[in-house]
Amino acid sequence: MSAGEPPINSSEIRRLTPVLGPGHTFGSVTDKISSIVLTRPTSVGWYVGFLITFSFTALLTIAMGWLFTKGVGIWGINIPVGWGFAIVNFVWWIGIGHAGTLISAILFLLNQKWRTSINRFAEAMTLFAVACAGIFPLIHTGRPWMSFYMFPYPSTMGIWPQFRSPLIWDVFAVSTYGTVSLIFWFVGLIPDLATLRDRALTKPKQIIYGMLALGWRGSVRHWHRYQSAYLLLAGLATPLVLSVHTVVSFDFAVAIVPGWHTTIFPPYFVAGAIYSGFAMVLSIAIPLRKAYGLEDFITMRHLDNMAKVMLATGLIVAYGYFFEFFMSIYSGNKFDLYLVEQRIHGPYSHFYYALILCNILTPQLLWFYKIRHNVLILFLMSLVINTGMWLERFVIVVISLTRDFTPSAWGRYQPTFWDWATFTGTIGFFVMLLFLFVRVLPAISIAEMRELVAETAEAD
Amino acid sequence: MDEQLQSEHDDDRPGIDVHLKDLSSIDRPLDLATVRAKLRSKTGKQYWRTLEELAGDPSFEELLQREFPRQAPSEWDESVDRRDFLKLMGASLALAGLSGCGRVPEQYLVPYVKQPDGMVLSEPLFFATAMTFGADAIGLLVESHEGRPTKIEGNPDHPSSLGASNIFAQASILNLYDPDRAQTVTKAGEIQTWSQFIDAAQAMAAALRSTRGDGLRILTGIISSPLVAAQLEAVLTLYPLAKWHQWEPAVGDGPREGGKLAFGRYVNTVCRPEKAEVILSLDSDFLASGPGNVRYMREFYRRRKLNQSADRAGNEMNRLYVVEPTPSVTGSSADHRLPLRYSEIEPFARALAAKLGLGGSGKLSPATEKWLDGVVKDLKKYPGRTLVVAGEQQPAEVHALVHAINAALGNVGTTLYYTDPVEAHPVNHLESLGELCTDIDAGKVSTLLIVGVNPVYTAPHDFDFASKLRFDEKLKTKKIETVIHISQHFDETSQYCDWHVAESHYLEAWGDARAFDGTVTVVQPLIAPLYRTHSVHEVLAAFTDKPGLSAYDGLRARLKAENPATDFEAWWRKTLNDGVVAGTALPPASVSLQFNPASLPPLKPSSSDELEFLFRPDPSVYDGRFANNGWLQELPKPVTKLTWDNAALVSPKTAEKLNLSYTIPSRGGEHGQVLSDVIDIALSGSKVTAAAWILPGQAEGVVVLPLGYGRKNAGYTGTNKGFDAYVVRSSKTLWASPAPISVIRKTGDSYPLACTQYHFNMEGRHILVTANLDEYRKNPNFVNDRAEPPREDDTLYNGRAEFPYERNKWAMSIDLNSCNGCNACVVACQAENNIAVVGKDQVMRGREMHWIRVDRYYTNTESSTSGKSTGDPSQYQPALENPEAFFQPVPCQQCENAPCEQVCPVGATVHSAEGLNDMVYQRCIGTRYCSNNCPYKVRRFNFLRFQDWETPQFKLMRNPEVTVRSRGVMEKCNYCVQRIDKARIAADKKNQPVADGAILTACQQACPSEAIIFGNANDPNSRVAKLRAQLRNYSILPELNTRPRTTYLAAVRNPNPELENA
Amino acid sequence: MERRSHIYGVLAEFATPEELIHAVEKARADGYRRMDAYTPFPVEGLARAMGLKRNMVPFITLLGGLAGGLGGFGFQYWAAAISYPQNIGGRPLNSWPAFIPVTFELTVLGASLCAVFGMLALNRLPQPHHPVFNVSRFAHASSDRFYLCIEARDPKFHIAETARFLQGLHPHHVSEVTDD
C-alpha cells in the first residue's frame, strides 16, 4: 500500500480509476479511435512537430554521409576507448525498445487488461526504437560497406562468421527481435485495418487499408486461430524480449574489461531496459492522450500502473548498481576495485553521480500516490529516467574502457559534434516515425477496446 | 633494370651492373634535332624504357628545363610539332612517377653475399653502406627492392653497428623519399641547370685564383669523410688565402678542447664499456648519443645479461653511476643516478679527482660527498676495469679531469684508448664560426660556400648570422658577393643564398666515412638521385681545376693510391661487399698527460637559487636536421613521451615555485594530450615562448630547452613545430645559461602537447617486474612469487589442448634488463611494416599507430593501488626528485588464449598453426571490439585514412611485402610475419627446420642492446627457449590467463649496497 | 435448383454478442452445420457454440521452433568445426556454450514465423474478396455488429426456410448473400 494514498480497498480504486472511461459502446470506441486517423483534420501542431523532428532526421543523414566519407575517426573514439556514443546509443535504444513487446506479451499473458489501450503505440515505439538502435551497429564499424560479413551467407571464400563473438549474437538477437516485434504488431493490427477499410471514406484509403487488412472479415474460425497464434506469439516474445538485452549485455559481460566482465549484467540490463522502456512509454503516452483527448482510454490507472512498474524496475537497477560495487569489493579483484574507485573519484565521476540521481533517487518519489497521479511530474520524471539510463550506458561503456588493465595505455573520451549529431538525429528520427504513426494507424487497438467494452458491460 | 633482375637470380655473381646515363658529366650544347630523331626512332614496347632513358639524358632535361612554363617560350623551336612536344612532356611526367624505378648507377654495386649470422638473403638485395653522423659513421646494410632502397639495417661487420642501428639510421630512409627535399639547382629561386652552376663556379674559381683565394670561405659541419676532407685540403692548397670554418651546433667543443687541455693535442677517445666493471657517467648520454653510441650500448648491455648459472658465480653484472642534470636514456638505466645541476658537474669531477689524489678540490654538498665516497670506493675496487665518461656538452675542464681520472684509475689501454681525431681538421667550432662572422662584418669575405649546415637557424643568436647574408640596409649592399649553399632542404639559410645546390642523400651518392674508431667505409649509393641533386664532392670539385670529376672516380683514385693492392678490383669489390675498408681503424695513440687538476682556477660558486637553462639536442630531431622526418616527429621521446613538439623541461620544485600547472583534457586524455602552461623565457637579450613540461628526476633549478624545433623553413612536416631554443642561445652561454627565476613569466595561456603516455604509475600491477641483484640472488624466482600463474586446466572446456603447435612455436623474449628505451625498435618497426604517420592532432586523440611502443614507468613512486591516482605526479612527491625509471617495449603479446580473437565477429583475427595472432585486413570490418578486449592495448586502428596514397615518393619507399592498410581496419604487430614466411619457405625448400636466428624481427634486428630475442620456443636449443626457461621469465598480467608468447625477463638492477643502506 | 447456385447463404445481423451466441446455439440445435459467425472482436464462448475444436497453429509453431533450433545449432557447429575450422583464441572448435544464444534466437524466430504464417495460411488469408462483403451492412462486422451466416452448402439449407428460421431469432436484419 503506497504512502500518502487514501485508505480505500482495491476494488474501489479500480472503480475510481477505471481502465476505460464510462459510457462507451462498441460503436463509440470505434468512432473515437478510428476518427483520429480517418476524419480528424491534421493539426498545425502536428505539422510543426513533424518538421522539427524531420530536420533532426536530416541532420542524422548528413552525419552519416560525412561518416561514410571520412570514417569513424570523425567521432571521439580512440585507443583505448574503442566504443563511444555509437554503442551507448545502441544499448539505450534497444533498452527502450523493450517496453512495447513486454507490455504486449508479458502483460497479455498475465491477462492485465490495462495493457489494452497502451500496447499498440508501445509496440510501435518498440519498432521505431529498434530501428534507431539497428542503425548504430551498422554504421559504427570502420568499413560499414563490409558489414554484411557479419551475416552467414555462402561466400565464395567459404568463410563463415565467428559465432563465439557476442557481436554475432547481437546480430541474431536484434534482427530476430525486430522481426518478431514487427509481425506481432502487424497481427494485432489486422482487425483494426479491416475496420479502417470498412470505414474509410476515400477510395485510395479503402484500397490501401484493404490490402493491408488481407481481407479480414472477423470470421469466428479466423478469430479462433488468430487468438491461439497471438497467444503463442506472446509466449515466444516473452523469453525473446528477456533474451535480447541479455545478449546485448553479453557484449560486455563476455569481454574481460574490468567493469564489463560481470555476471550481474544480464538481469540488470533487462531490468534497466524495462525501466527505460516504461519511462519512454510514459513520455509518449502523456502528450498523446492530451493531444488527441484519449483520457478515457489512457486513464490515470494506466499511468499509475506504469509508474509502479518503473519504481519496481528502478529498484532492481539500484540493486544491480549496488552489487557491482559489492562484488568488486568482496572479490578483492584489484582491477575491479580500481574501477569502482575511478567511478567515484575519477575524471568521469560527475557522470556517475548524475546517474545515481536520475536512476535511483528520483524514482523514489514514485512511492507517493500524489506524485504517481500528477501527470506533469510523471512526464518530467520519465524524461529524467531516460537520461539516467543513457548515462548508465555511458558509464559502463566509456568509463570502463578509459581505465583498464594497462595503465600506460589509459586515456579518456570526448564526444565530437558528429557524435552528438548522430545521437540527436536518431531521437528526431524516432519521434518523426511516431508522428507518422499516429496519423495513419490507430494508436489504440480498437478490437481489444471492444472486448474491454464487452467486459466492462458484464462487470456492471 | 633487366640486367639487375638477372643478377638477382644467379647467386654466383655477386655484382650487378646496370647502365644509365651518368648525370655528373654534362656539358653538351642542347641539340633538339637529335632528341627529336631519338623520339621518332622509338616505337612499340620499348618505348617507355627508352623514353625514360632518354628522359635521363641531361641534354633532354635541359630541353625540358627550357620548356617549363616559368621560362620564356620564345626559345621554343617552331619546327617541333605538337606531337613531339607532348611526348617530351609525357617523358617528364613519367619521370615524376617512375624516377625511382631502375635508375641504378652504372658503377658496380656489390650486394652483401657473405650471409651475416641469422640473415636469409632472398629476393631483395642488401648493399653495405654507411651513414655519417657527426664524428661517427654507422655501417649499414640497406635492403633494396627492384632498385628501391626500402629498409635500413645495421652492418654486423661494422664496428660502430655490430648489426644494430639507431633511430636516426632507421629513419634516414624517409629522408631519402622526403618529397620536400630541394630538387634542383637554383639561383635566387630560379631553377638552373647543373651545367650552368658549373660554369658559374668555374668563373668564380678563375677570379679567386687570381687573388689566391682571398675572400673565399667554406663553412661545414664536422667532416668525417676522408674523401671530402682531402678535397677540402686540396681546395685550400689551391687557394692559400681561403679559410675553412666549421660549425656543429649540437656537439660541444668540450671533448676536443678537453683533450688539448689534458694532452696538449686533439685526441679521439674510444671506450670499451664491455671491459668495465664500474662505469661513472658525468652528464654523458654515451648509450644514446655521441660517437659510437650504438656500439657502446651493445657492449654495455652484454654486461647486464643474466643467466642463473653465471651470476651465481660472481659479479658478472657491471654497475653504472650517472650524474646528470636532466634524465637521459643512459641515466634511466643507471644503478645509481644523482641529479646535479650542470654547473655542479665540474666541482663533482674535481672532488673525484681530489679523492683519487690528483690534487685540486671541489666543493660538494654533504649528501653528494657521501654519494661520491661510495662511488670512489667502488671505482678503486677494480683498478683498470672501470670507466669514467663525460658528456659532450660538458666544458673542456671536465673532460680534462676525466682524462686524468681515467689515467689515475689505470683505465687507459683497458677500458678506453686514445687515437688521432676521427674528424678532419679539428677546430674549436665556436671560435671558428665567430671568426667567420667577424671577417664577414669586416668585409673580408667575398665568396662563402656553406656545405650541409644551416647556420642561419643554428648559429648563436648574438652572431645574427642572417644579417651576414641578408641585404644590409646601411651598406646598401650585401656583405658577401656570392653565397653558395648546398643542403638537402631549401632551408632557413638557403633563402639568403645566391646559389642553392640540392644535396644528394647518402643513399644517392658515392662517398666514404670514418667511424668513431677510425674505420673507413665506402658509402655506395643504392639509387640514382631521385631529383637533380649533387653530392658535396661534386660541388667542391666544381671549384677545382677538375670540375665534373665524379665522386666515384675520385674515391677509387684515392683508395688505389692508399692501397697498392695487387688486384685492386677484387679488393674494391670485397671492400664494398664488407662495408668496411680493412685495417683502417685508427691505432691507439700514445698520449702523455700534461694536466694537473690542482692547476685549475678556482670555480666561482654558482648561486643555487638561480635557474640554469640547458641547451640539449632533441632526442628525436637532434639539432633540427631531422625536423621534416615524420617518423621521428611522431616518435615518443624516451623520457617525456612527447611527440611533434619540444617543451621547456622544468624540474618539479621549480615548477612549484613558478606554480606551473597542466590539465589533462578529456580529448585524448592520458594517452594523447596534456594542456601545459605556456611560459616566456627571456635569456641573453632575447625571448622565446615555450610550453612547460614538468619532468621528474630533473635536478632542481634546471630548465632544459631542447634544440631542433621551431624550424621556419623545414618542409611540410617540420615547419613551425615546437619552439626554437636557438633564439635564446648565445655564444657566451652555449650549453648552460644561468639566470634568475624572474626570467620566466607565465603567459596565462596553455598549449596542447601530444604525449603518448602520461600515466607512469603501474598501480601495483604485475606489468614491469624489477628487483635488485641481491634480492634476485636470494630468490631467483621472485617474479613468479609475486603473481599467480594461471592453471592450465582453468577452463570451461575439458582442458585438453586442441592446438598443440607441434612444428614451430614462435615466441619473443624481451629482456627488461637490457632496454633503455632508445626507441630504435619503434622506428625499425615503422619502416618495416609501412606504418602510417598520423600527425599531432591524431596523436592527441590517442590514435598513433606504432605497433610496438616503449612504456616508461617510474617504480619508486608511491604505488597507489588505493586507486587515488590519475597520473598526477604531485601524488608521487617523495620520488619526484629522482624516480627510478624503467622501460618496457610492448609489441603484440601474441596470446595463445587471445581475448581479441574470441570477440571478433567475422574471424578477422585468428591463430595461425604456429601460434601467431594473425590480422586479416581484408576480412576486418573494424568493430574495434578486439582492441577493447585487448588487456595490453597493443592494437591500432585506422580511424581515418592515415596512409598517404598519393605521394609517389612514398609509394617507392614502402615495403612491398607488407600490405598498406587503408581506413577502417585494425592492425597490430605480427612478429614480422613476412620475414617468418620467407625464412620458413627457404627452409622448406631445403627440407630443413628453420634455423634459430634465421628470422630476425625488425625490432630485434635494430635493437642495439639485444634486448629482443625472437625464435622457435619448440626448439630447446633456440635462444628464445633458453631465455623463456630462465626464472626471470614472466608474462604481463598472468592472472588473465591469456598465455602470451611475448614474455619478459624481469629487470635486475645492481645498486651499490653501501649507497643503498645510506 | 439452379437459382441456388447463385446464393451463398443467408446473413442475420445481431446487436450484441449474447444474441449471436444464442442464435448459433439455436441454429445448431435446429441441425444447421454449414454456418459461420462474424464478429468485430473475438467473442468468448462463440467458438464453443460453433463446436470448433483445437486448431493446428500450435503444432505448426512447434515444428518451426524445432527447425529453427536444431538447424541453428547444427549450422553453427558445421560452420565452426567442419566447414571453416579456425583456432580462435585457443578455444575448442566446438565451443558449444558460445553457440547457445544464436540457437535460442533462431528457435524463437522459426516458431514465431510459423505461428503467424501458419495462422494466415489456415485462414486462407489474404483473401481480398468474399461473398459476405456483397452485403453492404456487413461493413459493421468490423465495428459494432454481430453476424451469423448460414451457408447454402448446408444440406438442410433452403432459402425461404432458413430465412424464416433466422427471422425467428429476432435479428436486426436478415439479408441474402449472393456469390457475385
Side-chain angles (χ1 to χ4, degrees), chain C residues 26-165:
Chain C
K26 267 292 182 52
R28 283 182 64 82
D30 210 53
Y32 287 105
R33 290 290 175 274
R34 299 284 185 146
M35 61 177 119
D36 200 349
Y38 303 92
T39 59
F41 62 88
V43 173
E44 260 181 290
L46 185 56
R48 209 183 316 107
M50 291 278 294
L52 296 182
K53 309 261 168 321
R54 297 172 58 254
N55 63 58
M56 290 284 291
V57 173
F59 180 66
I60 297 172
T61 310
L62 174 67
L63 291 184
L66 288 174
L70 298 175
F73 188 91
F75 169 70
Q76 289 182 79
Y77 176 81
W78 176 78
I82 297 164
S83 162
Y84 190 56
Q86 288 288 338
N87 174 355
I88 302 294
R91 273 67 167 176
L93 293 176
N94 175 23
S95 315
W96 62 268
F99 300 157
I100 298 305
V102 172
T103 309
F104 172 82
E105 300 297 337
L106 289 176
T107 313
V108 174
L109 186 63
S112 318
L113 292 176
C114 284
V116 171
F117 291 104
M119 178 270 285
L120 291 177
L122 293 171
N123 287 348
R124 307 272 188 287
L125 292 177
Q127 181 184 10
H129 179 69
H130 188 279
V132 290
F133 289 133
N134 294 336
V135 181
S136 57
R137 296 187 62 88
F138 189 74
H140 288 283
S142 64
S143 161
D144 54 358
R145 287 285 186 271
F146 305 79
Y147 295 88
L148 172 63
C149 176
I150 298 181
E151 294 162 13
R153 293 177 297 152
D154 190 290
K156 196 173 180 298
F157 181 87
H158 181 283
I159 181 77
E161 293 293 322
T162 310
R164 199 175 303 108
F165 166 74

Side-chain angles (χ1 to χ4, degrees), chain B residues 320-332:
Chain B
L320 173 64
Y321 297 91
V322 174
V323 187
E324 61 181 3
T326 180
S328 68
V329 161
T330 307
S332 307

Side-chain angles (χ1 to χ4, degrees), chain A residues 75 82 165 251 341 403 406 408, chain B residues 670 847 855 867 903 928-929 935:
Chain A
W75 292 342
S165 167
D251 286 348
E341 194 284 333
R403 295 273 185 277
T406 318
S408 66
Chain B
E670 292 85 347
R847 296 173 180 176
D855 287 345
V903 297
R928 306 179 297 287
Y929 200 175

